[in-house]
Amino acid sequence: METIIMCGGKGTRLREETAIKPKPMVEIGGRPILWHIMSIYSRFGFRDFILPLGYKGEVIKEYFFDYQMRNSDFTINLKSGNIAMHPGYLEDWNITLCDTGQDTLKGARLKRVAKYIKGDRFMVTYGDGLANIDLDKLLEFHKKSGTIGTFTGVRMPSRFGAVRTGEDGKILSWEEKPVLNEYINCGFFVFERKFLDYLDEDENCDLEREPLQNLAAEGQLSMYPHPGQWQCMDTLRDSLKLNELWEHGKAFWV
């Protein structure tokens, strides 16, 4: 089963990093967040990846093209140019990298890589979110739902404290950053191949608008409630937080 990781966005709210690289290549602990996401899937046996590229996609191509050299010892003869790579651990991942346009929205990016999807079911996620998600449970939930698509929902803590007051203005309760009752979409999708019919290659086809809205209207979209942790890397503050978790041995997604 292929996993498509969206890698084409410009990451404008993380401009401190994305001025020179695409957001999936922003590092946590010396590795791109993209590598961390792929590692989550790999631990559950999902090792076939499709990466729809856009903004600065050449940076991602170069990273994986040179991956063996970056992560292995080797001997090079400068006169002949012959290189002997020395055995060592490298991830057993199959990665298809596909240019899907600079300004293309996610639905169209997915449609444009459809030719590389071989099976009747596939996974999709964003290139900037990490979770301690059990992908086996997600997949089993999707199968039981009988729907065309399943997304993962999480409850998020409020950014601010919440207070409840009486009619006289006295505080009845004070809760610092409570967990909200509403779920938000954190990605980690599973789709049946039929979902590709809801998409088109027009660059303005956005995954979260008509395609998913139409799926929901037809009763063909389910939500898997993730009870654990999730964190996106949307801003510099998020990047610093994720790196701090990594440095202190508290990376919940590992």
Side-chain angles (χ1 to χ4, degrees):
M1 187 188 305
E2 292 90 359
T3 298
I4 296 91
I5 304 177
M6 294 295 174
C7 295
K10 295 181 179 179
T12 54
R13 283 177 287 189
L14 194 56
R15 193 173 297 279
E16 297 89 348
E17 292 271 10
T18 57
I20 59 173
K21 65 179 74 168
K23 184 158 57 162
M25 293 302 293
V26 176
E27 293 186 351
I28 301 171
R31 297 269 197 170
I33 189 173
L34 176 58
W35 180 89
H36 291 273
I37 296 168
M38 296 168 80
S39 294
I40 293 171
Y41 281 89
S42 180
R43 285 195 294 274
F44 288 88
F46 303 107
R47 300 186 176 97
D48 292 304
F49 299 99
I50 301 172
L51 308 183
L53 307 178
Y55 173 72
K56 296 190 180 296
E58 69 278 1
V59 176
I60 300 177
K61 284 186 175 181
E62 290 170 2
Y63 177 78
F64 286 111
F65 189 82
D66 295 333
Y67 192 82
Q68 187 176 26
M69 179 272 293
R70 291 170 180 266
N71 294 279
S72 301
D73 295 339
F74 61 88
T75 300
I76 181 170
N77 182 281
L78 297 181
K79 184 176 182 179
S80 68
N82 292 332
I83 299 175
M85 305 300 298
H86 299 298
Y89 175 77
L90 289 173
E91 293 83 0
D92 185 16
W93 298 346
N94 295 308
I95 309 170
T96 300
L97 301 102
C98 181
D99 183 11
T100 54
Q102 286 290 305
D103 300 313
T104 311
L105 298 182
K106 292 187 287 292
R109 291 192 192 280
L110 181 53
K111 184 71 170 183
R112 292 181 184 187
V113 302
K115 58 187 175 182
Y116 299 115
I117 300 174
K118 301 173 184 177
D120 294 327
R121 181 179 291 134
F122 58 94
M123 293 186 169
V124 176
T125 196
Y126 303 126
D128 62 357
L130 298 166
N132 57 348
I133 185 170
D134 188 324
L135 293 171
D136 289 337
K137 290 183 178 179
L138 166 62
L139 183 57
E140 187 62 26
F141 179 93
H142 171 75
K143 291 177 180 178
K144 289 181 178 179
S145 74
T147 57
I148 293 174
T150 297
F151 72 94
T152 299
V154 292
R155 284 194 173 105
M156 289 296 294
S158 170
R159 289 182 58 196
F160 309 100
V163 297
R164 187 166 61 89
T165 64
E167 293 182 1
D168 58 359
K170 290 183 178 180
I171 303 298
L172 301 178
S173 66
W174 179 301
E175 190 173 358
E176 182 62 16
K177 297 182 180 179
V179 175
L180 303 175
N181 289 327
E182 296 82 4
Y183 281 92
I184 66 166
N185 164 34
C186 72
F188 295 97
F189 300 90
V190 184
F191 290 113
E192 300 299 308
R193 190 177 187 88
K194 190 182 298 184
F195 179 61
L196 296 172
D197 296 335
Y198 289 74
L199 309 171
D200 62 64
E201 293 193 24
D202 183 280
E203 67 176 17
N204 295 313
C205 176
D206 200 359
L207 179 66
E208 294 85 1
R209 293 191 180 275
E210 284 82 3
L212 289 182
Q213 289 173 358
N214 291 339
L215 212 61
E218 296 172 13
Q220 288 294 331
L221 184 63
S222 300
M223 185 193 77
Y224 170 71
H226 172 51
Q229 293 179 272
W230 169 83
Q231 176 67 53
C232 69
M233 188 174 63
D234 202 33
T235 65
L236 180 59
R237 180 181 179 182
D238 296 330
S239 175
L240 294 173
K241 178 180 179 180
L242 289 168
N243 273 283
E244 183 179 359
L245 289 172
W246 180 268
E247 290 166 6
H248 290 84
K250 297 179 180 179
F252 57 82
W253 61 91
V254 174

